[in-house]
Short mmCIF file of all heavy atoms in Angstrom, two decimals:
data_model
loop_
_atom_site.label_atom_id
_atom_site.label_comp_id
_atom_site.label_asym_id
_atom_site.label_seq_id
_atom_site.Cartn_x
_atom_site.Cartn_y
_atom_site.Cartn_z
N SER A 167 11.83 5.25 18.32
CA SER A 167 12.43 4.03 18.89
C SER A 167 13.50 3.49 17.95
O SER A 167 14.57 3.07 18.38
CB SER A 167 11.35 2.96 19.12
OG SER A 167 10.42 3.39 20.10
N LEU A 168 13.23 3.52 16.65
CA LEU A 168 14.21 3.05 15.67
C LEU A 168 15.43 3.96 15.67
O LEU A 168 16.58 3.49 15.68
CB LEU A 168 13.60 2.97 14.29
CG LEU A 168 14.58 2.48 13.21
CD1 LEU A 168 14.97 1.05 13.41
CD2 LEU A 168 14.04 2.71 11.82
N ASN A 169 15.20 5.26 15.66
CA ASN A 169 16.31 6.20 15.68
C ASN A 169 17.20 5.99 16.90
O ASN A 169 18.44 6.04 16.81
CB ASN A 169 15.80 7.64 15.66
CG ASN A 169 15.23 8.03 14.32
OD1 ASN A 169 15.62 7.50 13.28
ND2 ASN A 169 14.27 8.94 14.32
N ASN A 170 16.58 5.78 18.04
CA ASN A 170 17.35 5.55 19.27
C ASN A 170 18.17 4.26 19.17
O ASN A 170 19.33 4.21 19.59
CB ASN A 170 16.39 5.47 20.46
CG ASN A 170 17.13 5.30 21.78
OD1 ASN A 170 17.98 6.12 22.13
ND2 ASN A 170 16.82 4.24 22.51
N PHE A 171 17.56 3.22 18.59
CA PHE A 171 18.27 1.97 18.41
C PHE A 171 19.47 2.13 17.48
O PHE A 171 20.57 1.68 17.79
CB PHE A 171 17.31 0.91 17.87
CG PHE A 171 17.98 -0.40 17.55
CD1 PHE A 171 18.21 -1.34 18.55
CD2 PHE A 171 18.40 -0.70 16.26
CE1 PHE A 171 18.86 -2.52 18.27
CE2 PHE A 171 19.03 -1.90 15.97
CZ PHE A 171 19.26 -2.81 16.99
N LEU A 172 19.26 2.79 16.34
CA LEU A 172 20.35 2.97 15.39
C LEU A 172 21.49 3.78 16.00
O LEU A 172 22.67 3.48 15.80
CB LEU A 172 19.81 3.67 14.12
CG LEU A 172 18.80 2.89 13.30
CD1 LEU A 172 18.29 3.75 12.15
CD2 LEU A 172 19.36 1.59 12.79
N TYR A 173 21.14 4.80 16.75
CA TYR A 173 22.16 5.64 17.39
C TYR A 173 23.04 4.80 18.32
O TYR A 173 24.27 5.01 18.39
CB TYR A 173 21.48 6.76 18.18
CG TYR A 173 22.42 7.65 18.94
CD1 TYR A 173 23.14 8.66 18.31
CD2 TYR A 173 22.61 7.50 20.31
CE1 TYR A 173 24.01 9.47 19.00
CE2 TYR A 173 23.49 8.30 21.02
CZ TYR A 173 24.19 9.29 20.35
OH TYR A 173 25.05 10.10 21.04
N GLN A 174 22.45 3.84 19.01
CA GLN A 174 23.18 3.03 19.99
C GLN A 174 24.08 1.99 19.33
O GLN A 174 25.11 1.61 19.91
CB GLN A 174 22.21 2.36 20.93
CG GLN A 174 21.46 3.31 21.84
CD GLN A 174 20.51 2.59 22.79
OE1 GLN A 174 20.89 1.59 23.43
NE2 GLN A 174 19.29 3.04 22.87
N VAL A 175 23.70 1.50 18.14
CA VAL A 175 24.47 0.38 17.57
C VAL A 175 25.47 0.79 16.50
O VAL A 175 26.34 -0.01 16.11
CB VAL A 175 23.52 -0.71 17.01
CG1 VAL A 175 22.64 -1.27 18.11
CG2 VAL A 175 22.67 -0.17 15.87
N ILE A 176 25.37 2.01 15.97
CA ILE A 176 26.33 2.46 14.97
C ILE A 176 27.72 2.58 15.61
O ILE A 176 27.88 3.06 16.72
CB ILE A 176 25.89 3.79 14.36
CG1 ILE A 176 24.67 3.60 13.46
CG2 ILE A 176 27.04 4.45 13.58
CD1 ILE A 176 24.09 4.89 12.94
N ASN A 177 28.74 2.13 14.87
CA ASN A 177 30.13 2.23 15.31
C ASN A 177 30.63 3.65 15.02
O ASN A 177 31.17 3.95 13.95
CB ASN A 177 30.98 1.20 14.60
CG ASN A 177 32.44 1.19 15.06
OD1 ASN A 177 32.87 2.10 15.78
ND2 ASN A 177 33.18 0.18 14.66
N TRP A 178 30.44 4.54 15.98
CA TRP A 178 30.80 5.95 15.75
C TRP A 178 32.32 6.14 15.65
O TRP A 178 32.77 7.12 15.05
CB TRP A 178 30.20 6.81 16.87
CG TRP A 178 28.71 6.83 16.82
CD1 TRP A 178 27.83 6.25 17.70
CD2 TRP A 178 27.90 7.44 15.82
NE1 TRP A 178 26.53 6.45 17.32
CE2 TRP A 178 26.54 7.20 16.15
CE3 TRP A 178 28.17 8.18 14.65
CZ2 TRP A 178 25.47 7.65 15.39
CZ3 TRP A 178 27.10 8.64 13.89
CH2 TRP A 178 25.77 8.37 14.25
N GLY A 179 33.08 5.24 16.23
CA GLY A 179 34.52 5.30 16.07
C GLY A 179 34.93 5.13 14.62
O GLY A 179 35.81 5.83 14.12
N LEU A 180 34.28 4.20 13.93
CA LEU A 180 34.54 3.99 12.51
C LEU A 180 34.11 5.23 11.72
O LEU A 180 34.84 5.68 10.81
CB LEU A 180 33.77 2.78 12.02
CG LEU A 180 33.82 2.51 10.52
CD1 LEU A 180 35.24 2.16 10.07
CD2 LEU A 180 32.86 1.38 10.14
N VAL A 181 32.97 5.77 12.06
CA VAL A 181 32.46 6.95 11.34
C VAL A 181 33.43 8.13 11.47
O VAL A 181 33.72 8.82 10.51
CB VAL A 181 31.07 7.34 11.88
CG1 VAL A 181 30.58 8.63 11.20
CG2 VAL A 181 30.06 6.21 11.65
N LYS A 182 33.95 8.32 12.69
CA LYS A 182 34.86 9.45 12.95
C LYS A 182 36.10 9.38 12.10
O LYS A 182 36.67 10.41 11.69
CB LYS A 182 35.22 9.45 14.44
CG LYS A 182 36.04 10.66 14.88
CD LYS A 182 36.29 10.62 16.38
CE LYS A 182 37.09 11.82 16.83
NZ LYS A 182 37.35 11.79 18.29
N LYS A 183 36.51 8.18 11.77
CA LYS A 183 37.71 7.96 10.99
C LYS A 183 37.65 8.65 9.63
O LYS A 183 38.67 9.09 9.09
CB LYS A 183 37.89 6.44 10.83
CG LYS A 183 38.84 5.99 9.75
CD LYS A 183 38.84 4.47 9.62
CE LYS A 183 39.58 4.01 8.39
NZ LYS A 183 39.52 2.53 8.25
N PHE A 184 36.45 8.78 9.07
CA PHE A 184 36.34 9.30 7.71
C PHE A 184 36.09 10.82 7.64
O PHE A 184 36.12 11.38 6.56
CB PHE A 184 35.18 8.56 6.97
CG PHE A 184 35.50 7.12 6.73
CD1 PHE A 184 34.97 6.14 7.55
CD2 PHE A 184 36.36 6.73 5.71
CE1 PHE A 184 35.26 4.80 7.37
CE2 PHE A 184 36.65 5.39 5.50
CZ PHE A 184 36.12 4.43 6.32
N LYS A 185 35.82 11.45 8.77
CA LYS A 185 35.64 12.91 8.81
C LYS A 185 34.65 13.36 7.74
O LYS A 185 34.96 14.21 6.89
CB LYS A 185 36.99 13.62 8.65
CG LYS A 185 37.99 13.30 9.73
CD LYS A 185 39.31 14.04 9.53
CE LYS A 185 40.30 13.67 10.63
NZ LYS A 185 41.62 14.35 10.45
N LEU A 186 33.47 12.81 7.78
CA LEU A 186 32.46 13.10 6.79
C LEU A 186 31.96 14.53 6.89
O LEU A 186 31.75 15.04 8.00
CB LEU A 186 31.28 12.13 6.94
CG LEU A 186 31.63 10.64 6.80
CD1 LEU A 186 30.42 9.78 7.14
CD2 LEU A 186 32.11 10.33 5.40
N LYS A 187 31.73 15.16 5.75
CA LYS A 187 31.24 16.54 5.77
C LYS A 187 29.88 16.66 5.10
O LYS A 187 29.01 17.39 5.56
CB LYS A 187 32.25 17.45 5.06
CG LYS A 187 33.55 17.58 5.80
CD LYS A 187 34.50 18.55 5.09
CE LYS A 187 35.81 18.70 5.86
NZ LYS A 187 36.71 19.65 5.16
N LYS A 188 29.67 15.97 3.98
CA LYS A 188 28.43 16.16 3.23
C LYS A 188 27.52 14.93 3.29
O LYS A 188 26.69 14.80 4.18
CB LYS A 188 28.76 16.53 1.78
CG LYS A 188 29.41 17.90 1.66
CD LYS A 188 29.63 18.26 0.20
CE LYS A 188 30.23 19.65 0.06
NZ LYS A 188 30.44 20.04 -1.36
N LYS A 189 27.74 14.01 2.38
CA LYS A 189 26.82 12.88 2.24
C LYS A 189 27.05 11.84 3.32
O LYS A 189 27.60 10.78 3.10
CB LYS A 189 26.97 12.27 0.85
CG LYS A 189 25.91 11.23 0.51
CD LYS A 189 26.16 10.65 -0.87
CE LYS A 189 25.13 9.59 -1.20
NZ LYS A 189 25.39 8.96 -2.50
N ALA A 190 26.55 12.12 4.51
CA ALA A 190 26.75 11.21 5.64
C ALA A 190 25.59 10.25 5.79
O ALA A 190 25.02 10.09 6.86
CB ALA A 190 26.95 12.01 6.92
N ARG A 191 25.22 9.60 4.69
CA ARG A 191 24.06 8.71 4.72
C ARG A 191 24.27 7.56 3.74
O ARG A 191 24.81 7.74 2.65
CB ARG A 191 22.79 9.49 4.29
CG ARG A 191 21.53 8.66 4.31
CD ARG A 191 20.40 9.35 3.56
NE ARG A 191 20.65 9.32 2.12
CZ ARG A 191 19.81 9.81 1.20
NH1 ARG A 191 18.71 10.41 1.61
NH2 ARG A 191 20.07 9.73 -0.08
#
Side-chain angles (χ1 to χ4, degrees):
S167 296
L168 180 67
N169 287 332
N170 183 57
F171 175 82
L172 295 175
Y173 178 78
Q174 293 181 47
V175 300
I176 288 174
N177 183 349
W178 294 109
L180 175 65
V181 176
K182 186 177 181 180
K183 164 185 170 183
F184 293 101
K185 299 180 180 179
L186 301 173
K187 293 182 179 181
K188 293 184 178 181
K189 189 181 178 183
R191 182 195 72 177

